[in-house]
Amino acid sequence: MSLGVSHPAAAIPSFARQTGMECNACHTVYPQLNSVGREFKASGYSEGDVPFFEKFSAWAQGSFTHTAKDQTDNAADGYGTNDNWTVDQLSLFYGGKVVGKVGAFVQITYDGVEKGWSWDNVDIRYADSTTMNGKDLQYGVSINNNPTVQDLFNSTPAWGFPFDGSALAPGPAAATLIEGGLGQISYGVTAYGLYNDTLYAEAGFYHMLSRSLIGSLTGDASGTPGSRGIAPYWRLAIQKDEGANFFSVGTFGMAASLYPDGHRFVGSDHYTDVGFDATYQRIADNYDVTARASLIFENQRLDASHALGDADNVSNTLHSFNTSVSYTYDHTYGATLGMVRISGDPDPALYGTLKGSPNSTEFIVEGDWLPFHKKPLGAYPWFNPKLTLQYVAYASMDGQTNNVDGMGRHASDNNTLFVLTTLTF
């Protein structure tokens, strides 16, 4: 099973309206959260109240994609082999209190490449607080549609780096299940608690939506798996705020038994993902630094896929390493260096690569400019545009440095210049 990974960023003005604070009070460069933003999310996206219509907001994303060498085929239907302009996303958001102590983050998106509307990330949560042994305890329940989308940290997959990427450029064939493999095609129920602003724990389960519902919500249910029982999910982290410095270290993971493409007559495949992550953040008066790292180990037991001829091996391992460092000056100019590494056992039928290898290494350099992040427009202070310039360089792709596709294309031919404009309203 190999599913693509995307990391749609999100920072919506309705949260700023509720708090009365500027966007940089919760974010460094959105969607990266600082301590205030993490607290706001844990408390259920609700700090005060605003009129119902002000809980809605929207954004538009448009981009240009250039690869070092023209692609063999068109990047997508309606696009050329290189130098493509596109409207990436048009999104409508609801953010804030629903009723009582229930709040929600809900995103509906038009995909400009696939040319269709679908539901996107959803996190509906009940949140409250109390004391235990004289210490504060925040607790709640989340109903969501993407493992880790409810997490407080930008070191787990749903909100991890890279926060944006081109849908019109080649990418690695492999990804672990928890890195988007169940996003928008499953539902999860988890309970969480943050004790003494130090210990964060969460546990729950995920289950696949029905194929008919997936088709209605995403526009296409083809290739989606079915659930064999529930998939347990867990999260444990220790965090510490010390003045301008924030630290966290933790673990997360899930175990899922799935029927490939919904086929139930040959048994199921089983995936166990165990991840480890860490974050360091320093928030100073005129700059901030954030360092993130995650490492995911996946064990695959592919009895069903092997029987169907979709995997050569009955068992595989896959590893994912992701690290990045971001620097923001004056809440306006951002720079990030990152690396993503995928490695594992070769399996030609599963990954469809030339020699069956999933191994890929990419280096990412990104610059961001947010002209109104620090000083919003007086007439409409929630307008927060962002210009992103990103370059992705591949040291290897799908197990090859040279001749990646068997037709002489090198990994470096897929190096990508991506220019993205995000307009948030």
Side-chain angles (χ1 to χ4, degrees):
M1 179 182 185
S2 176
L3 298 176
V5 185
S6 62
H7 299 286
I12 62 177
S14 55
F15 298 161
R17 296 186 188 111
Q18 291 179 68
T19 62
M21 298 184 291
E22 298 170 357
C23 295
N24 64 48
C26 290
H27 298 276
T28 54
V29 172
Y30 62 81
Q32 299 177 80
L33 296 176
N34 57 25
S35 295
V36 175
R38 288 184 286 270
E39 167 72 19
F40 183 73
K41 188 173 183 178
S43 63
Y45 305 110
S46 182
E47 295 284 345
D49 206 356
V50 295
F52 180 73
F53 71 91
E54 289 193 5
K55 298 177 185 179
F56 289 91
S57 55
W59 78 358
Q61 288 187 314
S63 70
F64 169 76
T65 299
H66 170 80
T67 52
K69 184 178 180 180
D70 291 355
Q71 299 180 54
T72 305
D73 299 312
N74 290 346
D77 289 342
Y79 295 89
T81 58
N82 209 344
D83 297 332
N84 287 300
W85 299 85
T86 190
V87 175
D88 294 70
Q89 290 186 354
L90 303 175
S91 287
L92 178 66
F93 298 90
Y94 176 90
K97 182 185 291 185
V98 177
V99 61
K101 296 177 180 179
V102 177
F105 172 96
V106 179
Q107 180 182 5
I108 300 173
T109 294
Y110 174 79
D111 186 325
V113 175
E114 297 296 330
K115 298 178 176 57
W117 286 92
S118 67
W119 78 333
D120 208 321
N121 289 316
V122 173
D123 179 18
I124 303 170
R125 62 174 72 199
Y126 168 87
D128 203 352
S129 62
T130 185
T131 59
M132 180 182 293
N133 299 324
K135 306 292 184 180
D136 292 334
L137 172 65
Q138 285 183 293
Y139 64 94
V141 175
S142 168
I143 300 174
N144 62 81
N145 68 345
N146 187 1
T148 74
V149 75
Q150 76 279 20
D151 197 58
L152 305 182
F153 307 92
N154 290 112
S155 49
T156 53
W159 299 117
F161 183 81
F163 307 118
D164 292 289
S166 175
L168 297 173
T176 62
L177 182 68
I178 203 170
E179 293 178 292
L182 299 182
Q184 290 77 53
I185 60 174
S186 66
Y187 68 91
V189 180
T190 64
Y192 68 92
L194 177 60
Y195 179 67
N196 193 29
D197 201 30
T198 301
L199 178 63
Y200 180 80
E202 182 177 4
F205 69 88
Y206 284 83
H207 193 277
M208 293 295 301
L209 297 167
S210 69
R211 291 172 74 88
S212 61
L213 188 55
I214 292 171
S216 299
L217 293 171
T218 69
D220 184 12
S222 60
T224 56
S227 289
R228 181 180 180 181
I230 63 172
Y233 170 88
W234 65 90
R235 175 66 161 132
L236 184 66
I238 297 173
Q239 65 174 39
K240 188 68 176 178
D241 261 316
E242 294 185 347
N245 298 302
F246 170 85
F247 308 86
S248 72
V249 61
T251 181
F252 59 95
M254 67 184 307
S257 293
L258 302 174
Y259 297 110
D261 201 17
H263 298 302
R264 296 172 178 264
F265 56 89
V266 290
S268 61
D269 296 335
H270 187 78
Y271 301 82
T272 302
D273 288 11
V274 178
F276 302 91
D277 68 302
T279 299
Y280 167 73
Q281 191 170 65
R282 178 174 176 80
I283 307 295
D285 290 337
N286 64 342
Y287 75 90
D288 58 74
V289 176
T290 304
R292 300 163 292 265
S294 69
L295 179 62
I296 300 170
F297 299 91
E298 178 173 271
N299 287 318
Q300 307 168 352
R301 181 72 187 185
L302 306 175
D303 296 280
S305 291
H306 181 70
L308 292 168
D310 295 330
D312 290 323
N313 304 329
V314 174
S315 62
N316 286 322
T317 60
L318 189 65
H319 305 144
S320 174
F321 177 66
N322 185 317
T323 186
S324 59
V325 178
S326 298
Y327 174 85
T328 307
Y329 175 70
D330 201 29
H331 303 291
T332 305
Y333 307 97
T336 302
L337 298 176
M339 184 189 78
V340 180
R341 167 72 175 167
I342 301 291
S343 61
D345 300 321
D347 193 319
L350 181 65
Y351 300 119
T353 60
L354 184 63
K355 295 184 178 180
S357 174
N359 297 355
S360 298
T361 302
E362 58 188 279
F363 298 92
I364 303 169
V365 180
E366 180 176 304
D368 297 291
W369 178 48
L370 297 92
F372 304 131
H373 197 54
K374 179 182 179 182
K375 295 182 179 179
L377 290 173
Y380 189 75
W382 304 289
F383 178 58
N384 192 13
K386 180 173 73 169
L387 178 65
T388 298
L389 180 64
Q390 181 188 92
Y391 189 76
V392 181
Y394 289 96
S396 63
M397 179 180 282
D398 299 336
Q400 302 287 110
T401 299
N402 300 314
N403 195 26
V404 172
D405 58 357
M407 301 175 64
R409 187 176 184 85
H410 305 319
S412 59
D413 292 337
N414 298 316
N415 291 357
T416 301
L417 175 66
F418 180 57
V419 183
L420 178 69
T421 300
T422 303
L423 304 178
T424 307
F425 306 93

